[in-house]
Amino acid sequence: MIVVMKVDSRQKEIDDILKRLAERGLTGHLSKGVERTVIGVVGQTYPELRDMLELLPGVEDVIPITKPYKLSSREFQSQDTVIRVGDLTIGGGELVVMAGPCAVESEEQLLETARAVKAAGANILRGGAFKPSTSPYAFRGLGEEGLKILAQAREETGMPIITEVVTPEDVGLVLRYADILQVGARNMQNFVLLDEVGKAGKPVMLKRGMSATIQEWLLSAEYILSQGNRQLMLCERGIRTFETYTRNTMDVSAIPIIEKVSHLPIIADPSHGTGKWYLVAPLALAAVAAGADGVMIEVHPSPDYALKDGAQSLTFDNFQRLMAQLVSVVASMGRKMAGGTNG
Ligand code: PEP
Ligand code: MN
């Protein structure tokens, strides 16, 4: 349930409610919006609690949240979450473009890609140093060496970096290098990892599990939010269906659904969402038209030689073409590209 405070409620009244909740083994999460202050009550609630809370000074209303996810819901927070990464904002209306190779393979490969995507107008550099892999025989990433190369590319280009963290034990290490932590599809329900990134003081991007419903995805988001990390964005990266023509089925409908039911920013990843380079641009454009706050695109200097995900990686030329198309779609919607990219 959420406790809606009166406009003129005092801090002491809010503190009193938080204290009473704690006494009952419940947690109160405060959200101070422009229009109203609400306290999200998380834990095992019961009907009498509502009656008790309604009587307390400063309380305007107590509303049950019917959905199982609470802190990620629009009921808890009606305004969009806006995440700041350096000068960039994610979720504030501008389209953010994250681009880079699936995996960091070498200094040369990453720096070349970083320069190319930056020149084409990308805002954030992506690249995996710790790769979750379906097969144990596939490339599993350069580990800390890869993180160092990413940091070097940030130094040179000024682009913030997003990279995946695969195990709870590595969160501290990855945090020393990354600007945004990525939790991958295969780890969407790794609850210990979710708890750990929830304690991190940096933004997190939570990818949708390949067989996860939207509700399960939002419940995973809830793990991170309830640990106190509100700098959370979601990423639709395709789900598994009966279709074999594509690697995954990019669920474009998830984008407006998330926007409707949650205040969290939503990023679209048409690279994993389709698995085929020639489907990346059409689905990126569709996702933006559907309201995505950003896109994540895999780009490689020579996709044919990529150690991972070459089939879904764009060449530099194809990425540049996609950027020009994104500029038009964004303009047609009355939105702007982040970072002042205008093609
Ligand atoms: C990735 O972004 O490279 C990745 C492994 O994605 P996903 O977790 O969506 O498969
Ligand atoms: Mn990949």
Side-chain angles (χ1 to χ4, degrees), residues 102-103 126 131 247 272 298 308-309 312:
C102 178
R126 67 145 286 148
K131 295 302 303 176
R247 179 181 181 187
H272 296 87
E298 287 189 339
K308 245 182 141 55
D309 289 353
Q312 66 192 36

Side-chain angles (χ1 to χ4, degrees), residues 77 79-84 88-93 230-231 263 265:
Q77 182 182 314
Q79 287 154 305
D80 290 340
T81 285
V82 179
I83 299 169
R84 272 166 234 290
L88 277 175
T89 52
I90 306 173
R230 302 284 178 85
Q231 303 180 83
H263 52 84

Side-chain angles (χ1 to χ4, degrees), residues 183-197:
V183 175
R186 289 160 192 78
N187 268 321
M188 191 203 82
Q189 288 189 318
N190 181 339
F191 301 118
V192 185
L193 178 63
L194 299 180
D195 277 342
E196 216 48 50
V197 298

Side-chain angles (χ1 to χ4, degrees), residues 121-170:
N123 311 110
I124 295 173
L125 179 66
R126 67 145 286 148
F130 293 94
K131 295 302 303 176
S133 198
T134 303
S135 160
Y137 309 122
F139 180 54
R140 292 166 76 176
L142 297 179
E144 187 169 4
E145 184 51 33
L147 296 175
K148 288 186 177 154
I149 298 173
L150 282 163
Q152 198 184 327
R154 169 178 52 206
E155 184 89 358
E156 193 192 301
T157 62
M159 275 190 290
I161 52 184
I162 178 167
T163 195
E164 181 162 353
V165 58
V166 179
T167 65
E169 296 76 31
D170 287 337

Side-chain angles (χ1 to χ4, degrees), residues 164-215:
E164 181 162 353
V165 58
V166 179
T167 65
E169 296 76 31
D170 287 337
V171 172
L173 172 69
V174 179
L175 267 177
R176 288 209 288 280
Y177 295 91
D179 298 289
I180 306 172
L181 298 174
Q182 175 174 321
V183 175
R186 289 160 192 78
N187 268 321
M188 191 203 82
Q189 288 189 318
N190 181 339
F191 301 118
V192 185
L193 178 63
L194 299 180
D195 277 342
E196 216 48 50
V197 298
K199 291 178 201 146
K202 279 196 181 163
V204 173
M205 184 174 86
L206 176 65
K207 292 188 115 185
R208 180 178 183 181
M210 60 187 84
S211 303
T213 62
I214 290 173
Q215 181 163 303

